DNA sequence: CTGAAAGCGCTAACAT
DNA sequence: ATGTTAGCGCTTTCAG
């Protein structure tokens, strides 16, 4: 295997010209069935794979999607989300013969050289589409740059809108079930997001009951261990919350354990809902409800929209805001129930 | 900005030939200082970035590193590790002007078309180096393929050797501190790795005390909640472990809480060590010791070795097995201490 | 429906 | 130390 096999080899094997081969691999309709069949067989037997470099140089499509993410974000939750997107996105792209490349971009709020760096990257890569991961999707400079270059761009649906406020959604649901004393336990992770969700929770509560439940709220993102102490302190007194919202799945799991050790039955005495989904939430007893933002799936969806955009006309603006249900799903499980009549 | 600016533009602006520009951007020593300066300025003002496609087609280096990972691996821990590697690897590569691309490969033990698919990918991408992520590093076919193509490859140090057995290392350390009753709580995640670590723990114990502590071991990867019930059952009886190893960081955190609620002081009455590192382990009280395999850092290191390999001679075999201390580090923290004299 | 020609941006190999 | 020549593998013209 000297230097990889080229379109020329395939052409020779199928006894056609390079163009015909090119047409076949690009699914052009103007190819005779017989020629097409011969070419496809030659491709299969030779194990031919078109060179991305040559393809993108010839002016054709590069077959590459670019996802840019803020580089500074070293939060522990971030790595997991990134990994999830990588997994889901690669699968989606691979299915259509595309490649997905993740590139960090300086996260600074303003954009000193961020736009310039992006320009360099797209110059070097010629991606067919770019996904701006939050909070990069809020940078107008980057969006403008992409638009001016005619490169389709996408963002995670609902990332800007308040629609993505899990704290608010969870609180609303619990209020709907008659709960008035609702605890909220944040967790270490993205502080900004935590802040937004907490604000959403407060908003939902304020609509029904002006009294802020400040004693039921963990303000400063406690660690798991601290959070548990806090929950214990919350649950022991006679006046205690009838429901608890936790940002992290593991916190919810641990709260369940604490409740059990205090002889509080879930959901009879205490409803529990997590703001992140996790397989473990299903296997515990009782399974815990979760409010899930399926980032990975949304990301894969963004990839698919981008790939589709190329096939259709050159719509450089791919945004398609999805409805709330799709971008934030409430997974009902036995851990939540109507509030008890009296405490 | 019509079609991106090319080497030609730079050459014209600097009043030299394309070749000279090429030499400058490739750090060839045979360029006069004055020409070099002019070219560099032109590059800066024009914002020129060489096209990867053209570069890799011209026969030069593609500036791309490829990391292949098993696609099926949907474990929750995996996404986090992948994300960490992506973060660390991208940073390392970006610093040297390289790009890093992650590609999934069918994970099946044998390799039906895996090798073929890899061949296709390297044909399309012409990567300058490939990193085989476990368990792909064990596939001889893939290694052979890369070697025959003369593409430098790397794997995560210590992934094959027993050196990476965190369970064994933790157990040894605790035994060294005089502990004989040691509990082990596995957690959901990679079942194979869990199995290996558990075996290592048993091995270490067997060397000192033939009695298998089967009652102190969680065999079947319990969820966090189940694990806590188990720990409680473990710690209440008079005959109880004086030390506990947990695979996951959050489990350790929760165990700490359980111990506290049982009035057991850590580390006086119970030593605690986690087999995964996490920022929270530092902030809790007392901080919990951890046995950490710095995958992300190791991955970044692999990237760097690959990039260096190109600069040096064409050593296609980049393996450099690192010493144990580097690939598996014991982070001592107050949660472990000598075993109490008598229970 | 198919083929021939030209060129994408860059780098090796020779020249000079 | 620098310029010139010839492709790399593919796709887009434009002719048959």
């Amino acid at each position: 295997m000297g230097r990889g096999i080229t379109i020329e080899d395939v052409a020779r094997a199928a006894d056609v010209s390079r163009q015909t081969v090119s047409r076949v691999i690009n699914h052009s309709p103007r190819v005779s069935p017989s020629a097409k069949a011969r070419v496809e067989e030659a491709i299969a037997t030779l194990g031919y794979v078109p060179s991305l470099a040559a393809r993108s140089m010839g002016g054709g499509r590069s077959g590459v999607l670019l996802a840019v993410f803020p580089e500074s974000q070293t939060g522990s939750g971030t790595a997991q989300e990134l990994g999830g997107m990588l997994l889901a996105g690669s699968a989606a792209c691979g299915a259509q013969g595309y490649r997905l490349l993740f590139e960090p971009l300086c996260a600074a709020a303003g954009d000193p050289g961020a736009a310039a760096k992006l320009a360099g990257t797209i110059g070097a890569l010629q991606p067919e589409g770019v996904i701006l991961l939050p909070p990069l999707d809020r940078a107008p400079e980057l969006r403008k740059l992409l638009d001016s270059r005619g490169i389709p761009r996408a963002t995670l649906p609902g990332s800007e809108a308040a629609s993505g406020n899990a704290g608010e959604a969870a609180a609303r649901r619990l209020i709907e079930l008659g709960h008035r004393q609702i605890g909220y336990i944040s967790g270490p992770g993205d502080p900004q997001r935590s802040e937004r969700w907490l604000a959403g929770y407060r908003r939902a509560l304020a609509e029904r009951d002006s009294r802020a439940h400040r004693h039921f709220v963990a303000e400063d993102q406690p660690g798991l261990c601290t959070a548990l102490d806090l929950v214990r302190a919350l649950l022991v007194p006679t006046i205690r919350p009838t429901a608890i919202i936790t940002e992290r799945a593991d916190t919810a799991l641990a709260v369940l354990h604490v409740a059990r050790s205090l002889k509080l039955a879930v959901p009879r005495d205490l409803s529990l809902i997590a703001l992140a989904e996790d397989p473990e939430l299903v296997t515990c007893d009782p399974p815990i409800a979760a409010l899930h933002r399926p980032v990975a799936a949304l990301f894969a969806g963004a990839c698919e929209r981008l790939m589709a955009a190329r096939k259709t006309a050159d719509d450089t603006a791919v945004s398609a805001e999805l409805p709330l249900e799709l971008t934030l799903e409430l997974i009902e499980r036995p851990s939540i129930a109507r509030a008890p009549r009296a405490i």
Side-chain angles (χ1 to χ4, degrees), chain A:
Chain A
M1 294 288 154
R3 252 198 145 285
I5 79 156
T6 83
I7 198 176
E8 188 79 46
D9 303 321
V10 178
R12 207 153 21 206
D15 194 35
V16 294
S17 75
R18 300 185 299 192
Q19 291 15 291
T20 305
V21 177
S22 177
R23 285 178 182 114
V24 170
I25 65 185
N26 287 307
H27 304 104
S28 163
R30 302 155 176 278
V31 186
S32 76
S34 82
K36 178 169 175 174
R38 289 207 315 275
V39 168
E40 278 172 340
E41 200 202 305
I43 288 182
T45 47
L46 265 48
Y48 165 73
V49 178
S51 151
L52 272 199
R55 176 172 282 200
S56 105
M57 252 202 53
R61 43 205 57 181
S62 64
V64 168
L65 255 36
L66 177 70
V68 291
F69 60 92
E71 66 180 341
S72 71
Q73 216 153 305
T74 348
S76 64
T78 312
Q80 185 156 10
E81 281 196 352
L82 255 193
M85 295 193 236
L86 175 57
L87 249 17
S90 297
C93 290
Q96 299 192 41
Y98 274 71
R99 249 107 201 175
L100 177 60
L101 181 40
F102 278 78
E103 274 262 323
L105 210 58
C106 49
D111 335 293
K117 199 192 164 197
L118 213 207
T121 303
I122 68 180
L125 255 33
Q126 302 284 2
E128 287 182 39
V130 174
I131 298 165
L132 260 22
L133 260 22
L136 261 28
D137 51 359
R138 240 110 54 182
E141 295 216 5
L142 303 184
R143 298 217 293 239
K144 215 169 297 175
L145 169 65
L146 263 11
D147 289 347
S148 79
R149 292 275 226 272
I151 300 177
R153 62 176 161 77
T155 59
L156 258 35
S159 95
E160 318 192 35
S163 71
N165 197 314
E168 184 169 359
R172 278 194 202 295
R173 176 67 182 127
L174 290 171
I175 288 173
E176 195 179 297
L177 287 172
H179 294 271
R180 289 299 174 272
Q181 320 292 336
I182 305 176
Y184 186 99
I185 312 291
S186 52
D190 181 352
Q192 297 214 345
R193 189 179 64 180
S194 204
E195 192 58 50
R196 279 199 307 131
W197 285 2
L198 190 50
Y201 152 83
R202 288 215 169 89
R203 202 179 317 136
L205 244 53
E207 284 181 15
R208 283 301 189 115
D209 180 345
S210 62
R211 285 245 297 257
H213 299 251
R214 57 184 69 172
H215 296 298
F216 294 166
V217 174
E219 295 265 2
D220 44 339
Q221 307 208 135
L224 181 57
C225 206
T226 318
L228 290 190
D229 290 339
L230 208 143
V231 167
R232 189 170 215 100
L234 224 58
L235 292 182
V236 168
T238 317
I239 297 185
R240 55 167 183 78
T242 61
I244 288 184
I245 300 171
T246 69
E247 275 186 14
R248 296 174 31 151
D250 57 5
T251 309
L253 256 3
V255 168
L256 179 57
H257 186 261
V258 169
R260 195 180 300 162
S261 79
L262 289 175
K263 309 283 187 224
L264 291 176
V266 172
R268 197 197 58 199
D269 305 315
L270 182 73
S271 285
L272 206 49
I273 181 168
L275 299 190
E277 173 62 327
D278 188 292
E280 279 196 52
L281 293 179
V282 189
T283 58
C284 66
D285 178 40
I288 299 174
L291 209 67
H292 180 49
R293 191 169 144 65
V295 232
L298 291 176
F299 180 80
C303 291
E304 251 140 23
R305 265 182 289 144
L306 249 17
M307 296 187 285
R310 263 308 189 207
K311 295 196 167 187
T312 323
D314 271 31
D315 301 311
T316 85
V318 178
S319 60
E321 220 46 56
L322 269 58
L324 177 81
E325 311 85 69
L326 283 182
T327 142
L328 193 59
E329 50 180 315
L330 171 60
I331 305 171
E332 298 264 2
R333 295 208 187 95
S335 75
I336 58 177
R338 292 206 66 79
R341 278 302 155 205
I343 300 198

